[in-house]
């Protein structure tokens, strides 16, 4: 008989946690190899996680809604189907907890790779009782010894003490209350309210005609990473206008033939991505990251491209080795990644390893935007909408041109204004002088 720990996978570079959104199996059920065990979400992607073996579910260690460190065990599967399961066969209390429950702060105090030995099984005078890591961590934080914990009435499967039981007990502790099983108000000591106002800021409840909507897991993770990026990198923006008139005319000539040949709509994003690649070759320091006091210059160009997923925020799949691709190759790879993003089939490899990122706010009609750098990269390029404008040409003639604003946002720790502006000028030059017919 062997037991296999299923751990929280890392769903992308710089991702340190994942949130369990749904369990597809209960304790005691048999699961096939590669059958879906659970769904998780991060700020970059929502994904279905398959079972690594064919076996019987012994433990589900966290409830739906819990946020867990990458690398920590989240389930235990026994691959000997003839052996007795060492836990109740009904769905564990963790799954019975409210879906909005969050992991207690104590979950993150142990190293991510810490092994979990006999994770839910504790011996007391009456034999074995089962406690999830979350319950044991909460009990430890509240100073509740095993001798006290075993006397708490459990409302979970097989009389198991779940998170709500323990919260209720802690809330009534010291008030003369006996062991209880009905949930009580969540005490501040067990898990600080995520909406608590920062120190020194008055907290007021909104009044009048308002609607309060809880952030979903992806939005909370995005918010956390955006704040972290701003705290890490001093952002500087260089902005210039780019004359896209020649590209607009060239695209109109070849887009139908390209669609017929490749089955892909030829978009302006493909041209911008190609121009960024050429600029990165000319200015390799922009294709770098900072590690402590060291500058890590990446020799390969792995170009991230932000893709909006309706109702699910933004993901940034990565075109690997974009420096080796022509315009058609970039278009093919972006089409594959965009389709995978919209159907939630992106893999960890699709989302990791980016060295520079492009985002197109012009697709939403935005004129200019100043994006946030995707750590640990040191730059991101953003384009606005292409609009017809009356321009004064070099010979003082007045002409109607297709104009677009481009923004190069960069980390001022590494990239000074001179290099940042030269990189922008390089992208502008390639877009204004590009002949697509020679590139596809």
């Amino acid at each position: 008989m062997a037991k296999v720990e299923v751990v929280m996978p890392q769903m992308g570079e710089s991702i340190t946690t994942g949130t369990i959104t749904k369990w597809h199996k209960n304790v005691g059920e048999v699961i096939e190899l590669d059958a879906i065990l659970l769904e998780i979400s991060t700020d970059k992607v929502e994904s279905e996680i398959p079972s690594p073996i064919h076996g019987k579910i012994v433990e589900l260690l966290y409830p739906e809604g819990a946020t867990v460190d990458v690398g920590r065990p989240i389930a235990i599967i026994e691959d000997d189907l003839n052996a007795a399961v060492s836990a109740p066969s009904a769905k564990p209390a963790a799954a019975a907890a409210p879906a909005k429950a969050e992991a207690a702060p104590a979950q993150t105090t142990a190293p991510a790779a810490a092994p979990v030995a006999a994770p839910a099984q504790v011996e007391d005078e009456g034999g074995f009782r089962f406690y999830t890591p979350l319950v044991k961590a909460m009990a430890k934080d509240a100073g509740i010894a095993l001798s006290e914990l075993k006397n708490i009435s459990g409302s979970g499967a097989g009389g198991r003490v779940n998170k709500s039981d323990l919260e209720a007990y802690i809330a009534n502790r010291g008030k003369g209350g006996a062991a209880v099983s009905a949930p009580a108000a969540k005490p501040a000591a067990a898990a600080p309210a995520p909406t608590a106002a920062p120190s020194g800021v008055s907290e007021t409840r909104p009044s009048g005609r308002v609607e309060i909507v809880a952030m979903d897991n992806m939005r909370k993770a995005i918010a956390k990473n955006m704040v972290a990026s701003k705290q890490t990198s001093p952002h500087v923006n260089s902005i210039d206008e780019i004359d896209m008139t020649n590209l607009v005319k060239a695209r109109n000539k070849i887009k139908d033939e390209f669609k017929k040949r490749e089955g892909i709509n030829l978009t302006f994003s493909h041209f911008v991505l190609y121009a960024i690649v050429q600029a990165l070759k000319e200015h390799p320091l922009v294709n770098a990251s900072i590690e402590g006091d060291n500058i890590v210059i990446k020799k390969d160009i792995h170009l991230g491209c932000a893709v909006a997923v309706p109702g699910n925020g933004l993901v940034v799949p990565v075109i690997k080795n974009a420096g080796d691709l022509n315009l058609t190759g970039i278009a093919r790879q972006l089409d594959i990644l965009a389709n995978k993003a919209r159907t939630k089939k992106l893999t960890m490899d699709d989302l990791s390893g980016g060295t520079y990122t492009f985002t197109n706010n012009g697709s939403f009609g935005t004129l200019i935007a100043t994006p946030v750098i995707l750590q640990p990269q040191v730059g991101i390029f953003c384009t606005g909408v292409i609009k017809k404008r009356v321009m004064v040409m070099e010979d003082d003639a007045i002409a109607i041109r297709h104009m677009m604003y481009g923004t190069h946002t960069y980390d001022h720790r590494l990239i000074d204004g001179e290099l940042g502006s030269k990189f922008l000028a390089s992208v502008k030059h390639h877009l204004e002088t590009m002949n697509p017919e020679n590139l596809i």
Side-chain angles (χ1 to χ4, degrees), residues 316-327:
V316 186
V318 178
I319 301 173
K320 300 296 176 64
N321 297 306
D324 299 332
L325 302 175
N326 61 9
L327 184 65

Side-chain angles (χ1 to χ4, degrees), residues 226-410:
M226 294 301 97
V227 171
S229 181
K230 283 288 189 175
Q231 291 175 339
T232 300
S233 300
H235 285 53
V236 177
N237 301 283
S238 293
I239 302 172
D240 201 353
E241 51 188 4
I242 302 171
D243 191 338
M244 298 287 286
T245 306
N246 293 336
L247 269 181
V248 170
K249 294 178 178 178
R251 174 180 172 271
N252 287 337
K253 288 181 180 179
I254 64 175
K255 65 179 183 179
D256 292 339
E257 178 186 346
F258 188 86
K259 176 64 180 293
K260 182 178 180 180
R261 188 186 76 198
E262 300 292 335
I264 301 170
N265 290 320
L266 184 62
T267 71
F268 292 107
S269 289
H270 300 143
F271 300 127
V272 177
L273 287 166
Y274 183 82
I276 289 173
V277 169
Q278 309 317 307
L280 288 172
K281 291 179 179 179
E282 296 167 4
H283 304 284
L285 194 59
V286 179
N287 196 54
S289 63
I290 297 175
E291 293 184 5
D293 294 329
N294 296 321
I295 300 170
V296 182
I297 301 175
K298 314 295 176 64
K299 300 298 183 180
D300 297 314
I301 298 173
H302 303 313
L303 196 54
C305 185
V307 177
V309 182
N312 288 285
L314 198 72
V315 294
V316 186
V318 178
I319 301 173
K320 300 296 176 64
N321 297 306
D324 299 332
L325 302 175
N326 61 9
L327 184 65
T328 300
I330 288 175
R332 290 171 180 167
Q333 291 302 310
L334 181 58
D335 183 67
I336 292 171
L337 292 170
N339 286 332
K340 291 174 73 173
R342 296 185 182 103
T343 56
K344 298 183 181 181
K345 296 186 182 299
L346 287 170
T347 66
M348 288 180 279
D349 184 62
D350 292 330
L351 294 164
S352 61
T355 59
Y356 191 87
T357 295
F358 163 67
T359 182
N360 177 20
N361 280 44
S363 60
F364 310 112
T366 301
L367 190 64
I368 300 173
T370 55
V372 178
I373 297 169
L374 182 62
Q375 298 296 326
Q377 300 168 24
V378 295
I380 182 171
F381 198 89
C382 178
T383 55
V385 66
I386 300 174
K387 298 188 72 172
K388 289 183 179 181
R389 290 170 50 200
V390 177
M391 301 295 295
V392 179
M393 308 303 290
E394 290 184 2
D395 59 357
D396 290 338
I398 303 296
I400 297 175
R401 310 291 290 180
H402 294 267
M403 304 300 297
M404 177 186 77
Y405 283 102
T407 303
H408 178 210
T409 300
Y410 45 94

